[in-house]
Amino acid sequence: MNIKQGGDKMNKKKMYLWATLGLLLLGVLFSTSQRTKISVIEGEWDISQEVKSNGYEIYLVETSDFDYTNPAVYNVAQEIKARTLTPEEAIEEVLKFVVQNIQYSSSVSVDSCFEETASTALQSGVGDCVSMARLATALLRAQGIPARTMGGCLSGFSRCTPIFAVVPTLEAQVTPMIEGDFKKRGFLHEWVEAWYPDNSDTTGKWHLLESTSGQIFDMSCISYLEFGYDSNPRDRCVITSPDFWRTCKNY
C-alpha cells in the first residue's frame, strides 16, 4: 500500500469519526430539547418570573407521560386558566376536573402503567393514583404551575385536615396491599406536589395534592410517608423495595 492510499484510509476514518460524533451531538441536543420543552399557557395570572427566580422551571417541562401539549390535555388546561384569577384557584379547578373525570380503579396493570400518559388517562377516563397524578401534573405544568410527583404510601391510621377539598367527605381512594405487588395503588401511593407564590412572599410554598380525592394539604401532613420523587415513568408505577412495602403496611 502506497503513502497516498494510506492517507486516504486515514482521512476516511477521520471523516467517519467526525460524522459519528456529529450524529451523537445532534442526538444529545435533540434529547435535551425534548426534555426541556415548555409551552406555558397565557392567562389572567402569570407566575413565570417567580418560577424562574426560584429555579423551578424544571417542574414545567413536558415529558413523555406529562404530555400536556396533547390537544385533549392542553384544551382542558387552557379552559381552566382562562376562568381562574390565581394559581390557587387553578390548582383547585385541576383537582376538581381530575376527580370528576377519572374514575378510580386499582385494576391498572404494571405494563399498562409503564405505557400510560396524561392524555391516555384522560382518554380512558379510568385510572389509579398514578393515572390521576399524571393528569393533574400535566394540567398544572401546562398552566405554568410547577408540579412534581412523589411516591410513597398513605397511612391507614391517620388523616390530616385538608386546606381544600372538592368534596368535603371524600377521602383518598385506597385499596388493600397485596403481598408481592409493588404497583402503586391504594396504600402504596402516588401524589402530587405543586408550588405557587403568595401575595407577600415570592419564595412561595409547596403544597401536597391528593388527586384521587381532590384535596390539598400542607406539606407537614403526616398521613403521607415519602419514598422518593419520580425521575421516570417506571418509578411512577412501582416501588420495588420490600422493606418500604413492609413499613407501609403498618404505617
Side-chain angles (χ1 to χ4, degrees):
M1 180 173 66
N2 59 38
I3 294 176
K4 183 178 183 302
Q5 289 175 324
D8 290 342
K9 280 192 173 184
M10 183 64 70
N11 287 333
K12 285 180 180 179
K13 284 183 179 180
K14 286 182 178 179
M15 289 174 64
Y16 177 77
L17 178 60
W18 281 111
T20 302
L21 289 173
L23 288 172
L24 287 172
L25 179 59
L26 285 173
V28 170
L29 290 173
F30 177 77
S31 175
T32 301
S33 67
Q34 290 294 96
R35 289 198 305 270
T36 57
K37 184 178 179 182
I38 299 175
S39 303
V40 173
I41 296 167
E42 295 182 357
E44 290 296 319
W45 52 269
D46 180 7
I47 58 172
S48 57
Q49 289 304 313
E50 293 92 335
V51 171
K52 186 175 181 180
S53 64
N54 283 279
Y56 291 148
E57 289 176 301
I58 187 175
Y59 302 117
L60 300 181
V61 171
E62 180 179 29
T63 66
S64 59
D65 49 351
F66 303 145
D67 56 339
Y68 61 72
T69 57
N70 176 281
V73 178
Y74 196 82
N75 288 343
V76 173
Q78 196 169 40
E79 190 275 330
I80 290 175
K81 190 160 187 178
R83 60 182 167 82
T84 55
L85 300 177
T86 65
E88 299 100 305
E89 284 184 31
I91 291 171
E92 293 171 4
E93 289 300 313
V94 163
L95 289 174
K96 186 182 297 183
F97 178 87
V98 172
V99 168
Q100 293 176 345
N101 290 275
I102 305 296
Q103 180 183 348
Y104 180 83
S105 171
S106 62
S107 63
V108 179
S109 68
V110 174
D111 288 340
S112 296
C113 185
F114 290 160
E115 298 297 323
E116 182 186 68
T117 66
S119 63
T120 61
L122 176 59
Q123 183 179 19
S124 71
V126 178
D128 57 15
C129 59
V130 177
S131 313
M132 299 171 92
R134 274 185 168 129
L135 180 55
T137 300
L139 291 171
L140 292 169
R141 289 190 178 191
Q143 296 177 72
I145 300 173
R148 58 195 183 194
T149 56
M150 168 70 81
C153 66
L154 181 63
S155 173
F157 306 100
S158 67
R159 288 289 183 272
C160 301
T161 301
I163 299 170
F164 167 84
V166 171
V167 181
T169 58
L170 186 63
E171 292 285 352
Q173 301 291 304
V174 295
T175 50
M177 294 178 69
I178 302 171
E179 192 75 40
D181 180 11
F182 297 105
K183 172 73 176 72
K184 289 180 185 174
R185 49 180 153 226
F187 288 105
L188 200 61
H189 206 52
E190 179 85 347
W191 60 92
V192 179
E193 292 178 0
W195 178 91
Y196 61 85
D198 58 37
N199 294 330
S200 59
D201 186 3
T202 58
T203 59
K205 189 176 180 181
W206 288 92
H207 293 80
L208 191 156
L209 312 185
E210 177 51 67
S211 51
T212 70
S213 60
Q215 296 171 309
I216 301 176
F217 295 99
D218 188 88
M219 289 290 286
S220 62
C221 177
I222 62 171
S223 299
Y224 294 82
L225 182 63
E226 299 176 353
F227 179 77
Y229 290 108
D230 305 312
S231 60
N232 58 69
R234 185 178 183 85
D235 287 346
R236 275 180 199 99
C237 296
V238 295
I239 296 177
T240 56
S241 167
D243 290 339
F244 187 78
W245 192 94
R246 284 189 289 270
T247 299
C248 283
K249 193 170 184 180
N250 300 308
Y251 183 61

